[in-house]
Amino acid sequence: MFASELISNSIPPLKTSDTIQKSLDRMAEFKLYHLPIVNEAQFLGLVAEEELIEIRDVEQSIGSLSLSILNPFVFEDVHVYDIIRLFNQLHLSVVPVLDYKKIIWVLYL
């Protein structure tokens, strides 16, 4: 089984123009601790809830902040065991699936 067989289009990635509040609301809605952030369709990384909740001005856009963005991802032909290992090693709640730096799907537990 490969990443392309496990994908979900139900979780939209964050955009650099999205506010901190919108990001936190979306994380709460989907019960996730991480969400992918994109600029247009280019994957930039994962933003973590624990870092966002420390910011006081929740109306700031994510793109205006200097966050320590995680950059884990898998390509669509990666085996499910490698995905599970990535979830476990980095304690992630989502893993983006990419097609040459363009995000196409998100996997979540």
Side-chain angles (χ1 to χ4, degrees):
M1 186 175 290
F2 299 97
S4 61
E5 300 171 60
L6 302 170
I7 56 165
S8 171
N9 292 322
S10 64
I11 301 173
L14 297 171
K15 300 174 186 156
T16 53
S17 59
D18 289 340
T19 65
I20 303 293
Q21 187 61 55
K22 182 176 182 177
S23 305
L24 291 170
D25 291 345
R26 190 168 296 159
M27 287 177 181
E29 177 184 351
F30 291 105
K31 297 175 178 47
L32 298 171
Y33 301 110
H34 304 91
L35 279 175
I37 183 169
V38 297
N39 186 8
E40 301 295 323
Q42 182 181 7
F43 174 67
L44 300 175
L46 289 179
V47 64
E49 179 188 49
E50 65 186 33
E51 192 167 10
L52 294 179
I53 58 176
E54 294 177 5
I55 299 169
R56 291 187 181 161
D57 182 6
V58 293
E59 294 308 313
Q60 288 185 64
S61 67
I62 293 178
S64 69
L65 303 171
S66 56
L67 300 170
S68 56
I69 294 179
L70 302 170
N71 202 11
F73 63 88
V74 296
F75 289 111
E76 56 189 328
D77 60 349
V78 170
H79 195 272
V80 67
Y81 292 148
D82 296 320
I83 299 166
I84 293 169
R85 185 175 323 127
L86 188 60
F87 271 116
N88 186 41
Q89 286 176 341
L90 299 179
H91 307 286
L92 298 174
S93 57
V94 297
V95 171
V97 179
L98 303 186
D99 177 18
Y100 301 102
K101 284 290 186 184
K102 178 181 143 198
I103 190 164
I104 51 176
W105 302 289
V106 175
L107 301 174
Y108 61 96
L109 291 177

